[in-house]
């Protein structure tokens, strides 16, 4: 069963616009991570937010976490065509061996 | 890239044949994982290892076995491949960053069972 569920499944925007992706999960977590995957490639780690954190920034990325609602969002500001990829949230469940549970992902297309 | 190499990168095999995928890492990571990725399902954990000879099942372990006889190698075996095991398989390791929680992925192994 999947822990994280991303929303929307697909997102299409123009360069320069902001892209927001949401993730919901079901159980208690140690942390939540966001990954990016270019077509035909492996996943690349973007950012990790711990369960006691509410917001985190990394360059053009902003991640929020609301543990009361069991949800997270990833905001990419001033998007570029090179941001076109699939984005996945993954939860690290409390008490686990860092076994990340992934959602189905959001496919982001940024048009020049 | 955390020094992860997967082999083979692409394989076509027949139903009923055994298949072994290899994950090799060069940075002495203790924790290693095998995931499969299918459209609409994201990544699902097959098996994981928390040390040499220490392995456990993930959420989709039926039809798969693993072995870890040395730190650097984590093998995934399909004893008798089925068409439902056609997928992309990713090996991952837990990184040695300050949090110890970041998972790094290999480039994937594309398996087609015909």
């Amino acid at each position: 069963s999947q822990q994280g569920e991303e929303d929307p499944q697909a997102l299409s925007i123009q360069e320069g616009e902001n892209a927001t992706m949401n993730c919901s999960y079901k159980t208690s977590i140690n942390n939540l991570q966001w990954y990016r995957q270019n077509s035909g490639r492996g996943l690349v780690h973007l950012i990790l937010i711990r369960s006691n954190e509410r917001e985190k920034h990394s360059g053009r990325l902003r991640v929020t976490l609301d543990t009361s609602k069991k949800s997270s969002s990833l905001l990419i500001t001033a998007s570029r065509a090179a941001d076109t990829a699939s984005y996945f949230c993954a939860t690290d469940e409390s008490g686990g061996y860092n076994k990340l549970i992934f959602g189905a992902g959001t496919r982001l297309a940024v048009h020049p | 890239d955390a020094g992860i190499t997967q082999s083979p990168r692409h394989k076509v095999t027949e139903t009923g044949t055994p298949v072994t995928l290899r994950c090799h890492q060069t940075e002495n990571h203790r924790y290693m994982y095998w995931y499969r990725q299918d459209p609409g399902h994201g990544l699902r954990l097959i098996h994981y290892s928390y040390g040499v000879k220490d392995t456990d099942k993930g959420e989709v372990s039926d039809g798969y076995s693993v072995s870890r006889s040395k730190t650097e190698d984590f093998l995934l075996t399909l004893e008798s491949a089925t068409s439902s095991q056609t997928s992309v398989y990713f090996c991952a390791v837990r990184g040695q960053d300050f949090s110890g929680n970041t998972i790094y992925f290999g480039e994937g192994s594309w398996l087609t069972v015909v």
Side-chain angles (χ1 to χ4, degrees), chain A residues 1 35 37 41 97-98 100, chain B residues 33 35 37 94 103 107:
Chain A
S1 62
Y35 286 79
Q37 184 180 36
R41 304 297 302 274
Y97 285 95
N98 297 125
L100 292 184
Chain B
Y33 311 83
Y35 286 86
Q37 184 176 29
R94 192 179 80 175
I103 307 296
E107 288 295 300

Side-chain angles (χ1 to χ4, degrees), chain A:
Chain A
S1 62
Q2 290 176 205
Q3 167 77 304
E5 298 287 344
E6 286 93 341
D7 170 54
Q9 292 185 344
L11 182 60
S12 181
I13 59 175
Q14 298 297 126
E15 264 192 331
E17 294 180 343
N18 295 341
T20 299
M21 289 160 266
N22 303 297
C23 170
S24 60
Y25 59 93
K26 298 172 185 173
T27 64
S28 296
I29 61 171
N30 288 323
N31 62 72
L32 185 144
Q33 304 181 36
W34 285 91
Y35 286 79
R36 165 196 169 119
Q37 184 180 36
N38 286 62
S39 181
R41 304 297 302 274
L43 279 76
V44 175
H45 181 261
L46 294 177
I47 195 165
L48 178 154
I49 186 165
R50 293 188 177 83
S51 59
N52 62 352
E53 297 177 313
R54 292 296 167 258
E55 187 171 314
K56 203 161 183 179
H57 297 257
S58 177
R60 293 185 295 113
L61 305 180
R62 172 178 172 257
V63 169
T64 62
L65 179 64
D66 187 335
T67 53
S68 67
K69 295 181 180 178
K70 291 186 168 57
S71 67
S72 174
S73 67
L74 171 67
L75 169 67
I76 304 174
T77 59
S79 63
R80 306 165 181 167
D83 294 328
T84 294
S86 291
Y87 293 82
F88 296 88
C89 71
T91 51
D92 183 356
E93 296 179 350
S94 300
Y97 285 95
N98 297 125
K99 296 179 294 179
L100 292 184
I101 307 298
F102 285 81
T106 293
R107 296 186 309 280
L108 173 65
V110 182
H111 303 283

Side-chain angles (χ1 to χ4, degrees), chain B residues 2 15 17 28 35 43 62 93 96:
Chain B
T15 298
T17 61
N28 206 34
Y35 286 86
L43 280 83
D62 288 348
V93 301
Q96 305 291 353

Side-chain angles (χ1 to χ4, degrees), chain B residues 10-14 82-83 85-87 110-114:
Chain B
H10 297 87
K11 185 174 181 66
V12 179
T13 191
E14 293 185 350
T82 67
S83 58
Q85 293 175 312
T86 292
S87 187
W110 273 252
L111 177 67
T112 302
V113 183
V114 299

